[in-house]
């Protein structure tokens, strides 16, 4: 699907920025198979067949190469067999439809304001197992990018709580063996809220935003910490893993603030002298250092609570 | 597209707001720049490579100027971006 889309849209991109915009949009939605197909197209020797203007060919080639490099970080011989299906606006399901849901784990993936989980979707999915997992990827509405899903998502209700409460029926969650949640940056807290409200066993909040952000009060009429504690008392407490680097002062402060409210397991990535903006893209940073599988195994797929640290 | 100096500063600031999440301090710096009172290094807004692309895309959409990430050298300031766009 994305290959056809690329062939159709790329020739109309006249500038580097226009082509970059297409690349970013594709990276936010492509499955591993789709990323692999685009990379393969550029690996073919007939440059004349490339669907981009000649002056943009190098840019497009770098994009294709990066797809292969990112997929390779999972260390698998072929792309995971996820197929993309649109569920609603700003919501897709990546799954292998040949495998029954009752045998699989559903992973709720809340993307951040950049419409990704601090890394492109294809390599993230490539680190999952399509034979045992489905992923539902949720995107913030364009007009709400800075609101951390407070006003809800995908037109489900009027706020985050209402949106989350409608997920089980919408996604057929009861058909799955279990459901987990992960979110990054502005979607870290929403992933925790999803786990609390839906009684999920595990949530991962990677570089979550500040839980004391007063805007939560403006929307819900109560401070978020109070709401989190209230929700935590109403269902079995999930294992909540908070991933961050203590070398990014703001992320450290936010993670510690969440730990003041709920029992969480910190998963720290030590990386002194790395710029804040690179460390904030924490899953991407872990991927580029070949540590994403380990991170996911020790957080998302680990239902126990403990202090963890990698360097 | 011809923009007044204040109009161009506004578009540069808006492109930054689109590209990345800004904390209160960064928002205040940006407002300073928009009002023509100060200049700040682009690095101080902590754009990663994706955000830098988003910044250039937003800038091109609003001003028509084709500034690519590769054209923005380390240490470039907001006034440097302003001058770059004016030259294009």
């Amino acid at each position: 699907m994305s290959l056809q889309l690329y062939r159709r849209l790329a020739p109309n991109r006249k500038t580097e920025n226009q082509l970059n915009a297409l690349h970013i949009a594709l990276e936010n939605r492509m499955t591993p198979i789709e990323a692999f197909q685009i990379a393969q197209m550029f690996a073919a020797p007939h440059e004349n067949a490339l669907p981009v203007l000649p002056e943009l060919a190098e840019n497009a080639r770098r994009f294709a190469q990066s797809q292969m490099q990112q997929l390779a970080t999972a260390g698998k011989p072929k792309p995971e067999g996820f197929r993309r299906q649109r569920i609603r606006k700003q919501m897709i399901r990546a799954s292998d439809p040949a495998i029954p849901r009752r045998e699989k784990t559903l992973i709720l993936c809340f993307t951040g304001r950049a419409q990704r989980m601090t890394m492109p979707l294809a390599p993230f999915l490539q680190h999952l197992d399509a034979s045992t997992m489905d992923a539902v990827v949720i995107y913030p509405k364009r007009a709400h990018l800075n609101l951390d899903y407070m006003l809800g998502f995908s037109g489900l209700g009027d706020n985050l709580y209402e949106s989350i409460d409608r997920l089980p029926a919408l996604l057929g969650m009861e058909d799955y063996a279990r459901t987990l949640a992960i979110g990054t940056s502005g979607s870290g807290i929403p992933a925790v809220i999803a786990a609390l409200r839906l009684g999920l066993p595990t949530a991962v909040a990677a570089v979550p935003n500040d839980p004391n952000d007063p805007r939560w009060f403006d929307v819900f009429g109560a401070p978020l910490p109070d709401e989190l504690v209230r929700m935590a008392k109403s269902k079995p407490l999930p294992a909540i893993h908070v991933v961050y680097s203590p070398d990014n002062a703001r992320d450290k402060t936010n993670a510690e603030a969440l730990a003041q409210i709920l029992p969480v397991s910190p998963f720290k990535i030590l990386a002194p002298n790395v710029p804040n903006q690179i460390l904030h893209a924490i899953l991407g940073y872990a991927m580029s250092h070949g540590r994403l599988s380990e991170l996911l195994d020790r957080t998302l797929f680990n239902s126990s609570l403990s202090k963890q640290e990698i360097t | 597209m011809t923009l007044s100096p204040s109009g161009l500063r506004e578009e540069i600031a808006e492109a930054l707001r689109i590209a990345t999440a800004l904390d209160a301090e960064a928002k205040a710096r940006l407002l300073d720049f928009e009002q023509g009172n100060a200049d700040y290094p682009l690095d101080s807004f902590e754009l990663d490579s994706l955000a830098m692309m988003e910044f250039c895309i937003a800038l091109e959409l609003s001003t028509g100027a084709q500034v690519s990430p590769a054209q923005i050298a380390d240490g470039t300031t907001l006034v440097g971006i302003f001058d770059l766009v004016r030259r294009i």
Side-chain angles (χ1 to χ4, degrees):
Chain A
M1 177 71 94
S2 288
L3 183 61
Q4 288 91 326
L5 195 65
Y6 195 84
R7 284 192 177 283
R8 185 160 60 85
L9 297 180
N12 301 323
R13 305 295 163 133
K14 309 295 185 207
T15 71
E16 183 177 341
N17 289 327
Q18 290 176 9
L19 189 60
N20 283 342
L22 175 63
H23 290 164
I24 291 167
L26 286 171
E27 281 193 336
N28 291 346
R29 281 174 165 72
M30 279 194 299
T31 63
I33 290 172
E34 291 172 315
F36 184 76
Q37 286 172 338
I38 285 183
Q40 289 293 98
M41 174 178 67
F42 280 90
H46 304 297
E47 190 164 321
N48 290 343
L50 293 182
V52 293
L53 295 178
E55 60 268 34
L56 299 176
E58 187 51 37
N59 177 310
R61 198 183 310 283
R62 279 197 307 273
F63 168 71
Q65 285 170 349
S66 74
Q67 303 313 301
M68 289 304 280
Q69 288 163 358
Q70 291 169 357
L71 290 177
T73 59
K76 298 178 181 176
K78 61 177 187 177
E80 285 286 336
F82 290 103
R83 307 281 167 177
R84 181 160 43 87
Q85 175 202 9
R86 181 184 182 276
I87 300 174
R88 289 179 69 93
K89 276 184 184 174
Q90 293 106 29
M91 190 185 297
I92 62 170
R93 188 190 319 255
S95 69
D96 181 343
I99 300 170
R101 290 179 180 176
R102 65 178 175 277
E103 298 172 12
K104 292 193 281 192
T105 296
L106 175 64
I107 302 171
L108 302 178
C109 304
F110 291 86
T111 65
R113 77 178 298 285
Q115 310 261 320
R116 55 177 65 188
M117 287 182 300
T118 67
M119 63 181 289
L121 181 60
F124 178 79
L125 293 175
Q126 185 68 1
H127 283 77
L128 306 181
D129 177 358
S131 67
T132 61
M133 301 169 198
D134 284 1
V136 164
V137 187
I138 299 164
Y139 301 91
K141 192 174 173 180
R142 281 246 166 232
H144 296 167
L145 289 184
N146 290 320
L147 291 174
D148 299 2
Y149 292 97
M150 290 173 200
L151 299 183
F153 52 83
S154 297
L156 298 170
D158 293 328
N159 61 52
L160 178 62
Y161 301 167
E162 291 181 15
S163 295
I164 286 172
D165 292 348
R166 294 188 191 188
L167 285 178
L170 177 69
L171 305 178
M173 270 172 52
E174 71 280 6
D175 298 339
Y176 287 92
R178 63 175 179 163
T179 300
L180 313 173
I182 181 170
T184 57
S185 192
S187 66
I189 298 280
V192 172
I193 292 174
L196 292 170
R197 292 186 79 81
L198 302 177
L200 310 184
T202 306
V204 175
V207 291
N209 280 355
D210 179 11
N212 296 305
D213 183 338
R215 293 178 305 165
W216 289 93
F217 182 91
D218 298 337
V219 173
F220 295 101
L224 181 63
D226 295 353
E227 289 285 281
L228 291 173
V229 169
R230 186 182 58 75
M231 286 184 254
K233 287 178 177 169
S234 69
K235 292 258 172 59
L237 196 64
I240 301 170
H241 300 272
V242 180
V243 180
Y244 68 100
S245 172
D247 297 303
N248 180 321
R250 189 186 312 144
D251 290 343
K252 178 172 181 276
T253 299
N254 291 343
E256 289 174 349
L258 186 58
Q260 294 287 317
I261 302 164
L262 294 171
V264 304
S265 170
F267 186 95
K268 302 176 187 176
I269 293 181
L270 306 180
N273 305 318
V274 175
N276 280 343
Q277 58 270 37
I278 292 175
L279 284 182
H280 187 69
I282 197 88
L283 298 190
Y285 180 83
M287 173 189 71
S288 64
H289 287 74
R291 311 297 288 272
L292 184 59
S293 294
E294 176 190 359
L295 185 157
L296 294 174
D297 283 343
R298 289 167 58 175
T299 59
L300 189 61
F301 305 123
N302 174 9
S303 58
S304 67
L305 284 171
S306 62
K307 286 188 179 177
Q308 303 183 69
E309 201 168 89
I310 64 173
T311 56
Chain B
M1 186 184 298
T2 306
L3 286 165
S4 65
S6 64
L8 180 53
R9 282 195 299 270
E10 283 175 19
E11 296 299 350
I12 291 170
E14 185 58 19
L16 258 180
R17 291 189 193 99
I18 290 169
T20 191
L22 301 170
D23 62 18
E25 189 192 331
K27 284 177 185 168
R29 289 202 307 273
L30 206 49
L31 199 58
D32 258 2
F33 163 74
E34 251 182 299
Q35 293 168 343
N37 297 331
D39 186 19
Y40 298 97
L42 197 57
D43 294 346
S44 69
F45 295 92
E46 298 188 350
L47 274 64
D48 62 13
S49 58
L50 175 67
M52 186 64 91
M53 280 192 216
E54 298 273 20
F55 172 67
C56 291
I57 291 164
L59 203 55
E60 181 172 321
L61 284 172
S62 62
T63 69
Q66 295 172 28
V67 178
S68 72
Q71 287 175 275
I72 300 176
D74 287 348
T76 299
T77 66
L78 295 178
V79 170
I81 299 289
F82 179 96
D83 292 339
L84 186 59
V85 173
R86 297 284 270 196
R87 283 200 302 272
I88 293 175

